[in-house]
Amino acid sequence: MHHARATGTGQVVDAAIVDGTAHLTALLHGMLSAGGCSPRCRAATRATRRPR
């Protein structure tokens, strides 16, 4: 925003990585809830989960 105000031109931002991350996360959570994840995968997921 600052660059656009200062120069009058904007910049291109590739936001496709957000979509990809959302799809991969949905896949992982789907596998976890369906029980299709290995014990090692479940342990790694628990280790990275934020406390509620």
Side-chain angles (χ1 to χ4, degrees), residues 28-49:
L28 176 63
H29 284 279
M31 286 176 57
L32 285 170
S33 63
C37 201
S38 69
R40 182 177 175 191
C41 175
R42 272 189 229 108
T45 304
R46 275 191 217 109
T48 60
R49 223 180 267 169

Side-chain angles (χ1 to χ4, degrees), residues 1-48:
M1 295 297 286
H2 296 290
H3 179 76
R5 273 195 203 121
T7 64
T9 60
Q11 296 177 345
V12 175
V13 177
D14 183 7
I17 194 163
V18 175
D19 292 336
T21 303
H23 286 272
L24 289 173
T25 303
L27 174 68
L28 176 63
H29 284 279
M31 286 176 57
L32 285 170
S33 63
C37 201
S38 69
R40 182 177 175 191
C41 175
R42 272 189 229 108
T45 304
R46 275 191 217 109
T48 60

